[in-house]
Amino acid sequence: MENIDFSKIKNLFGDGREKYLLLFAVGILMLIISQGGSKNNKKDAVVSNSTFETENISFYEERIERKLQNLIESIEGVKKCKVMITLKNGTEKVVQSDSEINEKKETGDRNYEEIQKRNNTLVLKDENSEYPYITKEIMPQVEGVVVVAKGSKNTEVKNEIILLVQALFDVETHKISIAEMK
C-alpha cells in the first residue's frame, strides 16, 4: 500500500482565500446542478410558492389542533373533544440583508458630514427568476381557540382548559371559547 503525502494535497488547494474561493465555486456549481434544467417563469414560481405557503400554514394549523386536542383529552374529566384554532396573518419571512450606515457629524462652523444608509438584500437567482435569501420563517401566532369537549360543563375542567390554552399560545381569555359536546 502506498503512503499518501497529505502536505502535497494541502498545497494543491492552496491557503487562505484560495480554499474559500474553491468552496464557494463548488457550492455555486452544486446549486446550479440541483436546479437541473427547470425552466419556470417568474409567475409560475410565485404561484407555486404561494400555494406551498398556504398548504404549509394549513398543515401547521392542523398539527397544532391535533396536539391541543390530545392534551385536552388527557385532562381529568374530559372524555372527548374537538379543537379549532384561528391564526393571525400568514408566515413572516426574514431575509438576509446587510446594512451600511454613515453618521452625520459636525465638522466645524455649520459644516456637517452626511448620514448615508444602505440596505442590500441578498438575492438568489436561477435562470428565470430572482428571490431573496430567507434566513428564517416565523409561523403565524394563534389568535383564537374554540374547544368543544365532553365534560366541560364542570367549571374546574373549563378553567383547566382555559389555563392550558393560555399557557401554550398566550391568547387572551375572551378569545378562548369552551363549549359542552353533545
Side-chain angles (χ1 to χ4, degrees):
M1 184 171 206
E2 189 176 323
N3 288 337
I4 299 174
D5 187 4
F6 288 105
S7 63
K8 289 181 182 178
I9 293 174
K10 184 178 178 184
N11 289 335
L12 176 68
F13 293 111
D15 293 334
R17 288 186 177 170
E18 293 86 6
K19 286 182 185 178
Y20 293 111
L21 287 173
L22 180 64
L23 286 172
F24 180 76
V26 169
I28 295 296
L29 182 62
M30 291 180 72
L31 183 63
I32 291 169
I33 290 171
S34 71
Q35 292 297 320
S38 68
K39 293 187 178 182
N40 294 343
N41 62 26
K42 220 179 225 184
K43 191 174 183 181
D44 290 342
V46 171
V47 170
S48 65
N49 190 24
S50 66
T51 303
F52 173 74
E53 185 173 320
T54 303
E55 290 172 0
N56 195 18
I57 290 173
S58 180
F59 175 74
Y60 174 71
E61 192 175 48
E62 289 172 12
R63 196 174 114 225
I64 290 175
E65 288 174 346
R66 276 193 313 264
K67 284 184 168 189
L68 182 58
Q69 180 180 344
N70 289 338
L71 277 172
I72 292 171
E73 287 177 347
S74 68
I75 293 174
E76 188 175 336
V78 176
K79 293 165 183 56
K80 186 178 172 185
C81 81
K82 291 184 179 181
V83 174
M84 181 177 170
I85 291 176
T86 57
L87 301 174
K88 291 181 184 177
N89 53 28
T91 59
E92 180 182 342
K93 295 179 181 179
V94 179
V95 296
Q96 177 69 42
S97 63
D98 53 346
S99 298
E100 185 178 305
I101 300 173
N102 296 325
E103 296 180 20
K104 186 175 186 179
K105 296 180 184 178
E106 188 174 345
T107 57
D109 291 349
R110 297 185 185 186
N111 294 323
Y112 295 95
E113 184 180 322
E114 292 191 26
I115 296 175
Q116 194 176 45
K117 293 182 180 182
R118 189 180 314 166
N119 189 3
N120 298 320
T121 301
L122 180 61
V123 176
L124 301 174
K125 298 179 183 180
D126 63 15
E127 290 179 9
N128 296 315
S129 64
E130 295 180 357
Y131 46 93
Y133 178 71
I134 299 169
T135 57
K136 70 178 173 179
E137 190 172 341
I138 301 170
M139 297 308 281
Q141 291 180 318
V142 173
E143 185 170 30
V145 178
V146 174
V147 177
V148 179
K150 259 192 177 173
S152 66
K153 273 188 180 177
N154 182 332
T155 309
E156 289 179 27
V157 171
K158 193 174 201 173
N159 288 335
E160 288 282 332
I161 294 171
I162 290 171
L163 289 173
L164 186 134
V165 170
Q166 284 181 319
L168 288 173
F169 304 118
D170 194 28
V171 176
E172 298 169 9
T173 307
H174 70 276
K175 293 189 175 190
I176 303 171
S177 180
I178 313 294
E180 178 68 25
M181 185 181 278
K182 357 178 198 176

